[in-house]
Amino acid sequence: MKQTLLALTLIISLLSKADEGMWLPQLLNAMNMKDMKKNGLKLTAEQIYSVNKSSIKDAIVQFAGGCTAEIVSNQGLILTNHHCGYSAIAYHSTVEKDYLTNGFWAMNKKEEVYTPNLNATIIQRIEDVTAKVLKGITANSTESKKDSITKANIKALEKEAIVGTHYESFIKPFFYGNEYYLFVVETFKDVRMVGAPPSSIGKFGGESDNWMWPRHNADFSVFRIYANKDNKPAEYSTDNVPYKPKHVIPISLKGYNQGDFTMVYGFPGRTQEYLSSYAVDMIMNESDPLKVALREKRLNIMNADMLQSDAVRISYATKYASIANYYKKWMGEMNGLKNYDAVAKKQLFESKFSAAVNTDPVKKEKYGNIFPQLQKVYSEYKTLSKQVDYYSECLLAIDAFNYARFFITLNNELKKKQKGATNTYETTLAEYKKLGFFKNYNKPTDIKICEAMLNEYINGVSSNNRPYILDSFIVANNNDAKKITEFLFSNTNFVDKEKAETMLNDYEKYTNLYERDPVFYLTNAIVKYYSNSVFPQFQYDEREINELQKLYLQGQKELFKDKKFYPDANSTLRVAYGKVNNYKPKDGVEYNYYTTLDGIMEKYIANDEEFDVHPKLRDLHSKKDYGPYANKDGKLQVAFTASNHTTGGNSGSPVFNAKGQLIGTNFDRNWEGTMSDIMYNPNQCRNIVLDVRYTLFVIDKFAGAGYLLNEMKLVK
Ligand code: ARG
Ligand code: GLU
């Protein structure tokens, strides 16, 4: 018994590493305050999150759905990342006014530009509604009964929470449904672009530097929230005025040192920290490697064609960047998990869990079956998951197939319409017309991708796991991907922009084409096969895994009472704390925790797509004209690393010092540490932060928009 306890304490101390965790802000007092104070924090929990008084949470913004921003003036001015503002900047860019290339700066409020569909959301309050959501469920309720009760409760509670207000609300499950929290939010709809550096500054280093340290890009952009005269959200109007926030984040010009306390406040998207060894094994040994290999093939083909032609390079730039982003992330993740021996670590924990469970017959009855059951589900789920990866990363990597899928949806809706059934034909058609299929498309590139992907598919997916029609097609062509590709592309009728547009403009006339077109025909077979034979079982297994994970977490909480558990990220507001910290990526190498403008000049390659440096920035560097933004030693610091646990969605999040002053904006993670979505390795996992002094330097010295700083609360 004593030994088990000892082992458990060991495991617990192993698991609750200081920097790991994305915590719920309303629970800081109960969970983290002592630890945060011990690590240097000078604020109270109330100053970080309060419902009745203004607190830092009132200045944290969910930006454009997937990013974070922070309010830095009493006139609704917000800072976020350049890559978060990217599509807004692109939206306002034309060939004549190329803001992506040259940057954009409003020199007064009149010049700020409204961006349609750009929202800014602020959390009003968070409430634990677990008991209310589960009300009515008994031990005897069936799964479907549980589902319907939960759904009905959620709906009623969400509605009740906002009666008589202009707020919105939603409830989300935490810990796989062991807990539920209600969020009441205020969403602003008039958000205007104020400033953005040129891409050569905001995206300096491009894909080469993405997910990497040392880093040198000023990944920021500036927007402003507008409200109506009553300071409430309103649709865009020239009558709207800058939003008056409940809290303004002060900005520190004092910098930071190795070991200083840091806190990140934002909206992390998705993590899976409590998975079993079976899941981690699947991710690191099968799913990540497969997706990486498939994307690598595709990226290589795209890259070769992009190097050959400027037109292709420009039209494939965004597509390439987004495929490359997760390609690189998954590669870092699988390597990190391997180096950290993640599966063995999970197995060790599982054996301790089982040992503790087995000491008590009641616990054994309740939790004793989790691992055998998980093992069983995963043996099936693994195969299905591979199928799903082949669908999204291989078959739909072929643009022709991917676009055909949309036309198939349209066709199905049209058929419903023709039968007089309820349908979404008109709205779907209108929506698709806007999407601009084949707008950024190069047929020769897609042909190469098609051949390569079919080859991967033929070699990777056995006959019995293929849609019958596709399989017969492959067999009839002797497994010859080239032959199949040639046939498809020489007989299809819609694989270019004009043809796709003609079809969409008079769709009903072209419907029967779809039955005869080989790309449509094949894609239809693929889509049908997946929706009938793969997705239902896949989702069934996911549900089962969810139930087992729910029980597993319940067990962990019961057994390890001293351990603090944080819920997986789910795009809700979280606090992560850690410290300014460097790391050693491998034997013999130690990185510094910050970079400087000198490093930009070291990376400088004239006229390079990724590493060119703007003449004005070079000039400021050579004159050392850094104003009050330089560090004590006279260097201009650009970015730094810290040990905050972050993930996608934390982009743009404020990074605070111990006093709640802004020292930077979060924008990335290090490659070696991207495994932190699955398992946090305190020696390797770092978030990458843009130094706010470099942000201010770019706004003031580079862009000449220093008037914006007058609105800010600068702490000198
Ligand atoms: N890796 C960062 C984040 O996930 C930035 C991505 C955008 N930048 C880029 N070079 N693709 O998601
Ligand atoms: N760049 C990421 C984002 O867009 C943040 C990096 C990460 O995944 O931590 O949210």
Side-chain angles (χ1 to χ4, degrees), residues 15 20-23 31 174-176 271-277 279-280 346 349-350 370-371 374 378 545 548-550 552-554 556-557 560 563-569 574 645 676-679:
L15 281 173
E20 179 180 348
M22 304 168 169
W23 307 93
M31 308 270 293
F174 288 70
F175 297 113
Y176 294 92
T271 61
Q272 300 170 279
E273 312 287 346
Y274 301 98
L275 291 176
S276 66
S277 58
V280 175
K346 287 282 185 190
F349 180 73
E350 284 159 13
I370 294 177
F371 299 128
L374 276 170
Y378 271 100
I545 290 169
L548 289 164
Q549 285 282 149
K550 182 176 168 186
Y552 184 22
L553 261 167
Q554 197 187 328
Q556 289 182 48
K557 285 189 171 181
F560 311 137
K563 187 183 174 219
K564 295 190 178 90
F565 290 86
Y566 63 94
D568 273 319
R574 300 299 175 86
H645 193 179
S676 65
D677 288 348
I678 314 282
M679 195 184 270

Side-chain angles (χ1 to χ4, degrees), residues 66-67 81 83-84 211 326 646-651 666-669:
C67 277
N81 286 152
H83 76 262
C84 294
W211 297 112
Y326 267 67
T646 55
T647 187
N650 268 125
S651 273
N666 191 74
F667 71 97
D668 212 0
R669 264 178 296 165

Side-chain angles (χ1 to χ4, degrees), residues 606-622:
N607 300 318
D608 185 74
E609 178 71 20
E610 297 181 318
F611 293 101
D612 200 9
V613 178
H614 197 284
K616 181 142 187 215
L617 193 58
R618 276 186 275 142
D619 191 46
L620 288 164
H621 174 258
S622 71

Side-chain angles (χ1 to χ4, degrees), residues 567-581:
D568 273 319
N570 60 356
S571 295
T572 58
L573 188 61
R574 300 299 175 86
V575 169
Y577 59 96
K579 43 182 155 331
V580 174
N581 205 355

Side-chain angles (χ1 to χ4, degrees), residues 282-447:
M282 181 189 98
I283 291 169
M284 121 187 168
N285 291 318
E286 296 188 32
S287 167
D288 278 355
L290 174 63
K291 290 187 289 187
V292 165
L294 290 169
R295 284 202 175 189
E296 190 161 278
K297 292 248 153 49
R298 182 156 48 135
L299 288 166
N300 285 342
I301 293 169
M302 288 165 95
N303 193 33
D305 284 6
M306 287 163 81
L307 286 173
Q308 290 287 314
S309 137
D310 276 348
V312 178
R313 181 178 53 77
I314 291 166
S315 60
Y316 272 60
T318 313
K319 207 182 327 192
Y320 188 90
S322 84
I323 299 167
N325 194 32
Y326 267 67
Y327 158 72
K328 213 164 168 181
K329 193 239 155 182
W330 290 323
M331 198 176 356
E333 180 175 278
M334 70 195 209
N335 291 340
L337 291 170
K338 273 193 197 126
N339 292 339
Y340 199 42
D341 238 342
V343 174
K345 283 201 168 61
K346 287 282 185 190
Q347 281 167 345
L348 179 69
F349 180 73
E350 284 159 13
S351 61
K352 304 286 175 188
F353 180 90
S354 301
V357 162
N358 288 336
T359 56
D360 172 347
V362 180
K363 291 192 179 102
K364 192 173 171 181
E365 164 83 33
K366 206 164 161 195
Y367 304 119
N369 228 345
I370 294 177
F371 299 128
Q373 273 182 288
L374 276 170
Q375 181 174 27
K376 195 164 150 255
V377 187
Y378 271 100
S379 69
E380 176 181 279
Y381 182 70
K382 219 151 87 171
T383 319
L384 291 163
S385 165
K386 187 170 152 189
Q387 289 258 63
V388 172
D389 288 341
Y390 269 105
Y391 180 68
S392 56
E393 295 292 332
C394 185
L395 294 172
L396 296 186
I398 304 159
D399 275 342
F401 288 21
N402 189 26
Y403 296 148
R405 213 163 42 113
F406 288 89
F407 285 83
I408 288 161
T409 307
L410 197 59
N411 220 52
N412 291 341
E413 290 307 313
L414 179 62
K415 275 192 188 140
K416 285 189 214 157
K417 181 185 155 187
Q418 286 163 343
K419 276 190 214 143
T422 43
N423 65 87
T424 61
Y425 175 70
E426 305 298 338
T427 50
T428 309
L429 182 63
E431 194 189 308
Y432 286 2
K433 277 185 184 170
K434 277 193 257 161
L435 286 179
F437 300 122
F438 300 105
K439 192 172 136 224
N440 290 317
Y441 182 74
N442 186 45
K443 192 164 157 183
T445 308
D446 203 30
I447 291 177

Side-chain angles (χ1 to χ4, degrees), residues 183-201:
F183 295 81
V184 175
V185 306
E186 186 173 37
T187 295
F188 293 87
K189 298 182 171 96
D190 184 353
V191 180
R192 302 186 197 173
M193 184 167 80
V194 176
S199 291
S200 68
I201 290 178

